[in-house]
């Protein structure tokens, strides 16, 4: 299996621009998570989906952030408009378990720099 | 919500020595405690986990201990090797009815050859 695939691996953009991060989970996994990693705050859960349905988005920092999962094999995290404080590494992870926590399989991350 | 604290933030050991990383958690309902290893430029990867019905679990050179009364758990790495150098994260979760891992802030382990 190819694992969780994220794109782009690196993104540099200017403040105010729209950013879209993409994720392909491991086939057959029911749950998908978006995390943000910064030096100051560590790994923070932004949102997670179960069977393509958003379950908990309480970690999404503000309305500028949105996430979608139109099907079982694809998810996006969008930031519009982006701000310098959004600079971070964004990880997507998937899990084969729906109703109970288990191993998370992380992608290699998307490093976002907002100038 | 759950609060997980992790110490130390950095740790350097000589190759062959042992390394210990400690975490505490706040929610007594937490019953699942995984440890993830993150190598440079990669995503975190599960290396070992423990559930609250056991006090210790071993897998070759790594072991995890859990003290539910004190609400702390630890990762022990013996006979450290340079490839153990990475950032290690502990986490805590309630296994049922919730699908959220609360991560510690990470420990950067450096094994000096």
């Amino acid at each position: 299996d190819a694992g969780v695939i994220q794109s782009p691996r690196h993104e540099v953009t200017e403040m105010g621009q729209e950013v879209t991060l993409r994720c392909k989970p491991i086939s057959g996994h029911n749950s998908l998570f978006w995390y943000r990693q910064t030096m100051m705050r560590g790994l923070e859960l932004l949102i997670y989906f179960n069977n393509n349905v958003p379950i908990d988005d309480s970690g999404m920092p503000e309305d500028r952030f949105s996430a979608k999962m139109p099907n079982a094999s694809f998810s996006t995290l969008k930031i519009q408009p982006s701000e310098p404080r959004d600079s971070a590494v964004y990880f997507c992870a998937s899990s084969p378990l729906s109703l109970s926590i288990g191993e998370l399989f992380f992608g290699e991350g998307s490093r976002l720099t907002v100038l | 919500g759950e609060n997980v604290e992790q110490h130390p933030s950095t740790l350097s050991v000589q190759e062959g020595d042992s390394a210990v990383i400690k975490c505490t958690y706040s929610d007594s309902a937490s019953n699942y405690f995984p440890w993830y290893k993150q190598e440079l430029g990669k995503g975190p990867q599960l290396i070992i986990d423990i559930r609250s019905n056991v006090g210790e679990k071993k897998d070759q050179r790594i072991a995890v201990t859990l003290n539910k009364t004190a609400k702390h758990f630890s990762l022990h790495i013996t006979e450290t090797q340079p490839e153990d150098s990475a950032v290690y994260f502990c986490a805590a979760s309630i296994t049922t009815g919730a699908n959220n891992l609360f991560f510690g802030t990470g420990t950067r382990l450096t094994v000096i050859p």
Side-chain angles (χ1 to χ4, degrees), chain A residues 9 31 33 35 37 41-43 45 48 50 56 91 97-109, chain B residues 32 36 38 41-46 49 51 89 93-105 108:
Chain A
R9 291 294 313 277
S31 298
F33 305 77
Y35 282 87
Q37 185 176 41
R41 301 170 72 100
L43 274 164
L45 178 68
Y48 76 88
N50 184 30
D56 184 356
F91 287 102
L97 299 178
S98 304
L99 299 177
S100 62
I101 198 71
E103 180 174 0
L104 296 185
F105 294 80
F106 284 83
E108 296 197 327
Chain B
Y32 174 64
Y36 282 78
Q38 184 177 21
K42 304 280 189 181
Q45 184 174 12
L46 180 72
D49 58 12
R51 296 181 189 265
F89 291 93
S93 178
I94 302 169
T95 52
T96 57
N99 214 339
N100 189 4
L101 277 177
F102 293 89
F103 283 90
T105 49
R108 181 174 298 278

Side-chain angles (χ1 to χ4, degrees), chain B residues 29-104:
Chain B
S30 290
N31 54 7
Y32 174 64
F33 307 93
W35 286 87
Y36 282 78
K37 175 183 180 183
Q38 184 177 21
E39 297 177 343
L40 194 63
K42 304 280 189 181
Q45 184 174 12
L46 180 72
I47 56 171
I48 194 168
D49 58 12
I50 191 169
R51 296 181 189 265
S52 59
N53 56 345
V54 297
E56 183 175 3
K57 184 176 179 180
K58 283 186 179 180
D59 183 2
Q60 300 182 355
R61 295 187 297 107
I62 59 173
V64 57
T65 59
L66 171 65
N67 183 327
K68 285 219 72 176
T69 303
K71 290 191 282 189
H72 66 71
F73 55 113
S74 300
L75 177 72
H76 304 252
I77 307 174
T78 58
E79 301 173 23
T80 53
Q81 301 169 2
E83 51 264 38
D84 295 329
S85 296
V87 179
Y88 292 82
F89 291 93
C90 63
S93 178
I94 302 169
T95 52
T96 57
N99 214 339
N100 189 4
L101 277 177
F102 293 89
F103 283 90

Side-chain angles (χ1 to χ4, degrees), chain A residues 35-46 58-62 65 85-91, chain B residues 2-6 38 89-90 101-106:
Chain A
Y35 282 87
R36 177 171 67 177
Q37 185 176 41
T38 61
M39 289 293 293
M40 291 295 293
R41 301 170 72 100
L43 274 164
E44 302 173 276
L45 178 68
L46 301 178
S58 59
M60 296 285 261
E62 44 197 279
F65 286 68
R85 60 194 167 119
D86 302 331
S87 298
V89 180
Y90 291 82
F91 287 102
Chain B
E2 174 67 277
N3 181 42
V4 178
E5 295 190 355
Q6 183 171 348
Q38 184 177 21
F89 291 93
C90 63
L101 277 177
F102 293 89
F103 283 90
T105 49

